[in-house]
mmCIF file with all atom_site columns, all heavy atoms in Angstrom:
data_model
loop_
_atom_site.group_PDB
_atom_site.id
_atom_site.type_symbol
_atom_site.label_atom_id
_atom_site.label_alt_id
_atom_site.label_comp_id
_atom_site.label_asym_id
_atom_site.label_entity_id
_atom_site.label_seq_id
_atom_site.pdbx_PDB_ins_code
_atom_site.Cartn_x
_atom_site.Cartn_y
_atom_site.Cartn_z
_atom_site.occupancy
_atom_site.B_iso_or_equiv
_atom_site.pdbx_formal_charge
_atom_site.auth_seq_id
_atom_site.auth_comp_id
_atom_site.auth_asym_id
_atom_site.auth_atom_id
_atom_site.pdbx_PDB_model_num
ATOM 1  N N   . LEU A 1 193 ? 173.668 66.499 171.025 1.00 0.00 ? 319 LEU A N   1
ATOM 2  C CA  . LEU A 1 193 ? 172.293 66.303 170.568 1.00 0.00 ? 319 LEU A CA  1
ATOM 3  C C   . LEU A 1 193 ? 171.857 64.856 170.726 1.00 0.00 ? 319 LEU A C   1
ATOM 4  O O   . LEU A 1 193 ? 170.743 64.574 171.172 1.00 0.00 ? 319 LEU A O   1
ATOM 5  C CB  . LEU A 1 193 ? 172.174 66.724 169.100 1.00 0.00 ? 319 LEU A CB  1
ATOM 6  C CG  . LEU A 1 193 ? 170.790 66.518 168.449 1.00 0.00 ? 319 LEU A CG  1
ATOM 7  C CD1 . LEU A 1 193 ? 169.731 67.345 169.167 1.00 0.00 ? 319 LEU A CD1 1
ATOM 8  C CD2 . LEU A 1 193 ? 170.849 66.877 166.969 1.00 0.00 ? 319 LEU A CD2 1
ATOM 9  N N   . ALA A 1 194 ? 172.735 63.930 170.361 1.00 0.00 ? 320 ALA A N   1
ATOM 10 C CA  . ALA A 1 194 ? 172.414 62.511 170.492 1.00 0.00 ? 320 ALA A CA  1
ATOM 11 C C   . ALA A 1 194 ? 172.167 62.141 171.953 1.00 0.00 ? 320 ALA A C   1
ATOM 12 O O   . ALA A 1 194 ? 171.239 61.389 172.274 1.00 0.00 ? 320 ALA A O   1
ATOM 13 C CB  . ALA A 1 194 ? 173.544 61.661 169.919 1.00 0.00 ? 320 ALA A CB  1
ATOM 14 N N   . ALA A 1 195 ? 173.015 62.675 172.836 1.00 0.00 ? 321 ALA A N   1
ATOM 15 C CA  . ALA A 1 195 ? 172.833 62.407 174.262 1.00 0.00 ? 321 ALA A CA  1
ATOM 16 C C   . ALA A 1 195 ? 171.516 62.994 174.767 1.00 0.00 ? 321 ALA A C   1
ATOM 17 O O   . ALA A 1 195 ? 170.787 62.362 175.543 1.00 0.00 ? 321 ALA A O   1
ATOM 18 C CB  . ALA A 1 195 ? 174.002 62.989 175.054 1.00 0.00 ? 321 ALA A CB  1
ATOM 19 N N   . ARG A 1 196 ? 171.200 64.179 174.311 1.00 0.00 ? 322 ARG A N   1
ATOM 20 C CA  . ARG A 1 196 ? 169.948 64.833 174.696 1.00 0.00 ? 322 ARG A CA  1
ATOM 21 C C   . ARG A 1 196 ? 168.739 64.038 174.251 1.00 0.00 ? 322 ARG A C   1
ATOM 22 O O   . ARG A 1 196 ? 167.795 63.828 175.008 1.00 0.00 ? 322 ARG A O   1
ATOM 23 C CB  . ARG A 1 196 ? 169.914 66.241 174.094 1.00 0.00 ? 322 ARG A CB  1
ATOM 24 C CG  . ARG A 1 196 ? 168.610 66.992 174.295 1.00 0.00 ? 322 ARG A CG  1
ATOM 25 C CD  . ARG A 1 196 ? 168.375 67.361 175.737 1.00 0.00 ? 322 ARG A CD  1
ATOM 26 N NE  . ARG A 1 196 ? 167.180 68.147 175.904 1.00 0.00 ? 322 ARG A NE  1
ATOM 27 C CZ  . ARG A 1 196 ? 166.681 68.510 177.079 1.00 0.00 ? 322 ARG A CZ  1
ATOM 28 N NH1 . ARG A 1 196 ? 167.296 68.155 178.198 1.00 0.00 ? 322 ARG A NH1 1
ATOM 29 N NH2 . ARG A 1 196 ? 165.588 69.233 177.156 1.00 0.00 ? 322 ARG A NH2 1
ATOM 30 N N   . MET A 1 197 ? 168.762 63.567 173.008 1.00 0.00 ? 323 MET A N   1
ATOM 31 C CA  . MET A 1 197 ? 167.641 62.797 172.484 1.00 0.00 ? 323 MET A CA  1
ATOM 32 C C   . MET A 1 197 ? 167.491 61.460 173.193 1.00 0.00 ? 323 MET A C   1
ATOM 33 O O   . MET A 1 197 ? 166.392 60.920 173.294 1.00 0.00 ? 323 MET A O   1
ATOM 34 C CB  . MET A 1 197 ? 167.820 62.575 170.986 1.00 0.00 ? 323 MET A CB  1
ATOM 35 C CG  . MET A 1 197 ? 167.748 63.850 170.161 1.00 0.00 ? 323 MET A CG  1
ATOM 36 S SD  . MET A 1 197 ? 168.068 63.573 168.406 1.00 0.00 ? 323 MET A SD  1
ATOM 37 C CE  . MET A 1 197 ? 166.574 62.683 167.952 1.00 0.00 ? 323 MET A CE  1
ATOM 38 N N   . GLY A 1 198 ? 168.613 60.939 173.687 1.00 0.00 ? 324 GLY A N   1
ATOM 39 C CA  . GLY A 1 198 ? 168.569 59.682 174.420 1.00 0.00 ? 324 GLY A CA  1
ATOM 40 C C   . GLY A 1 198 ? 168.414 59.871 175.914 1.00 0.00 ? 324 GLY A C   1
ATOM 41 O O   . GLY A 1 198 ? 168.558 58.919 176.684 1.00 0.00 ? 324 GLY A O   1
ATOM 42 N N   . SER A 1 199 ? 168.122 61.112 176.334 1.00 0.00 ? 325 SER A N   1
ATOM 43 C CA  . SER A 1 199 ? 167.921 61.438 177.760 1.00 0.00 ? 325 SER A CA  1
ATOM 44 C C   . SER A 1 199 ? 169.153 61.144 178.601 1.00 0.00 ? 325 SER A C   1
ATOM 45 O O   . SER A 1 199 ? 169.043 60.752 179.766 1.00 0.00 ? 325 SER A O   1
ATOM 46 C CB  . SER A 1 199 ? 166.703 60.677 178.314 1.00 0.00 ? 325 SER A CB  1
ATOM 47 O OG  . SER A 1 199 ? 165.542 60.983 177.581 1.00 0.00 ? 325 SER A OG  1
ATOM 48 N N   . ALA A 1 200 ? 170.335 61.318 178.008 1.00 0.00 ? 326 ALA A N   1
ATOM 49 C CA  . ALA A 1 200 ? 171.591 61.134 178.731 1.00 0.00 ? 326 ALA A CA  1
ATOM 50 C C   . ALA A 1 200 ? 172.254 62.490 178.923 1.00 0.00 ? 326 ALA A C   1
ATOM 51 O O   . ALA A 1 200 ? 171.788 63.510 178.412 1.00 0.00 ? 326 ALA A O   1
ATOM 52 C CB  . ALA A 1 200 ? 172.515 60.186 177.970 1.00 0.00 ? 326 ALA A CB  1
ATOM 53 N N   . LYS A 1 201 ? 173.371 62.513 179.658 1.00 0.00 ? 327 LYS A N   1
ATOM 54 C CA  . LYS A 1 201 ? 174.087 63.759 179.892 1.00 0.00 ? 327 LYS A CA  1
ATOM 55 C C   . LYS A 1 201 ? 174.776 64.215 178.614 1.00 0.00 ? 327 LYS A C   1
ATOM 56 O O   . LYS A 1 201 ? 175.443 63.433 177.936 1.00 0.00 ? 327 LYS A O   1
ATOM 57 C CB  . LYS A 1 201 ? 175.108 63.573 181.010 1.00 0.00 ? 327 LYS A CB  1
ATOM 58 C CG  . LYS A 1 201 ? 174.464 63.319 182.376 1.00 0.00 ? 327 LYS A CG  1
ATOM 59 C CD  . LYS A 1 201 ? 175.502 63.189 183.463 1.00 0.00 ? 327 LYS A CD  1
ATOM 60 C CE  . LYS A 1 201 ? 174.855 62.979 184.824 1.00 0.00 ? 327 LYS A CE  1
ATOM 61 N NZ  . LYS A 1 201 ? 175.855 62.840 185.909 1.00 0.00 ? 327 LYS A NZ  1
ATOM 62 N N   . MET A 1 202 ? 174.646 65.492 178.299 1.00 0.00 ? 328 MET A N   1
ATOM 63 C CA  . MET A 1 202 ? 175.136 66.019 177.029 1.00 0.00 ? 328 MET A CA  1
ATOM 64 C C   . MET A 1 202 ? 176.652 66.175 176.990 1.00 0.00 ? 328 MET A C   1
ATOM 65 O O   . MET A 1 202 ? 177.290 65.881 175.978 1.00 0.00 ? 328 MET A O   1
ATOM 66 C CB  . MET A 1 202 ? 174.452 67.352 176.735 1.00 0.00 ? 328 MET A CB  1
ATOM 67 C CG  . MET A 1 202 ? 172.958 67.245 176.555 1.00 0.00 ? 328 MET A CG  1
ATOM 68 S SD  . MET A 1 202 ? 172.130 68.859 176.416 1.00 0.00 ? 328 MET A SD  1
ATOM 69 C CE  . MET A 1 202 ? 172.835 69.479 174.892 1.00 0.00 ? 328 MET A CE  1
#
Side-chain angles (χ1 to χ4, degrees):
L319 177 61
R322 174 68 176 174
M323 294 176 70
S325 302
K327 293 182 178 180
M328 297 173 64

